[in-house]
Amino acid sequence: MNTHPHNVAAGTGIVESADAVYRRIAWRFLPLLFACYVVAYLDRVNVGFARLQMLNDLQFSEAVYGLGAGMFFVGYFFFEVPSNLLLHRLGARRWIARIMITWAVLSMCTAWVSTPLHFYIVRFLLGIAEAGFYPGMLLYLTYWFPSHRRGRMVALLTAGNPVSGIIGGPLSGYIMTATAGLAGMQGWQWLFILEALPGILLGVMVYRRLDDKVAHATWLTVEERSQVQFDLDIDSKTRTHGSVSQVFGSGRVWLLALILFGIIMGSYALSFWQPTIIKGTGIKSPALIGLMTTIPYTAALIAMLLIGRSADKRRERRWHVIVPGLFAAGGFVLCANTAGSAMLSMLGLTMVAVGIVSALPMFWALPTSFLGGAGAAAGIALINSTANLAGFVSPTVIGWLKGQTGTLSSGLYLVAGSLTLSAFLIWAFIPARVVNH
């Protein structure tokens, strides 16, 4: 029988007290982690905007751009699991701060690349520097929130993706237009420099603000720390994968990595090629292209919150990943058949953004439900790093196909197929009893 003093009176003011404690924890960490995620995602994909100018300036081909954009994920893949294990061992405060500062410096260095080799090396090192960041934040949330409270926290954190798109599009377009020729540098160079600076500042704030574990939270009372730790201990008893060896030998973990791979194929096709798709409709101004990218991401942010609420209300996750994934696939098919129509292109891009941004937080409700301890550190990182190889495959293959065919259509069909396959794998192999909780 549960005899903890903070849990015996469900339905009374004691539950309200627990809610208040978790609200304090959320307000303490989540705004900072959210800001970090927005800046991280912006630094990862701003190469898609820089492409509008840097290809001509540096005489890079589409294949060079696609390979360079994707090299980030090669470094990311090899260092993701070690990075998350180091975070688990050394503490989130030091490790997340290290990640942010080093990736910001390397992102800034992209401004001075001059050859394809320079471009490949910087992007590869940037992937190494950022490895472990997003799964590290997911892992960090497991240190503070039991599973029944963590879904909303993950959704709020993942909202940084569409918010980054809403902020990043107009900001990137403005920087590239307003700074062109300043101090003898091009707008795309200033883009990498200026958008890297917040990462350094936030890295310092992370080091000063985060607590590695509940026991270190002196801003909570002894009773509150005891309450949170008790909840986490109870929650940990439902974990079936608590060791690194269990994770690497788990067919379920590898299946989830394959499913996420298909979703990530779509995510980075949108991030890296959305400006190009919009430009293909006849719009040339980087500032206007940046403004137009806010439309899909604004719709995606609203849809993500509504779909997350629907999933929590129905306690259902499976179809809340399948349906958005298929919706995004339909958006890519539409984009491949717009024939330069700005209206149809924006409709297709909006469908893509709504589907992908809504599916991602629903997907992460699954692995965090059965991974615990060091197994959570390794499992989340393994799923994320393996799936993020799609970030290499997606721009590389699409760039090569565009160079061969002169159009993005074949690449967009490929991505639509990968999203459809992920939806099928969930439907066929992930039982509802595992996902819905």
Side-chain angles (χ1 to χ4, degrees), residues 111-124:
W112 290 281
V113 301
S114 58
T115 68
L117 181 60
H118 292 163
F119 186 40
Y120 300 155
I121 291 173
V122 169
R123 290 290 295 178
F124 178 75

Side-chain angles (χ1 to χ4, degrees), residues 36-46 72-73 75-81 83-84 87 95-107 122-137 268 381 384-385 388:
C36 291
Y37 185 58
V38 169
V39 172
Y41 200 80
L42 185 61
D43 279 351
R44 183 186 297 188
V45 302
N46 58 11
F72 171 97
F73 299 95
Y76 193 85
F77 170 75
F78 285 110
F79 287 86
E80 180 91 319
V81 173
S83 179
N84 229 33
L87 182 147
W95 200 247
I96 293 179
R98 191 283 306 163
I99 288 173
M100 297 198 64
I101 293 171
T102 52
W103 103 52
V105 171
L106 285 164
S107 181
V122 169
R123 290 290 295 178
F124 178 75
L125 293 176
L126 186 64
I128 293 175
E130 193 180 321
F133 176 70
Y134 181 64
M137 290 196 295
Y268 285 111
N384 194 61
S385 62
N388 267 278

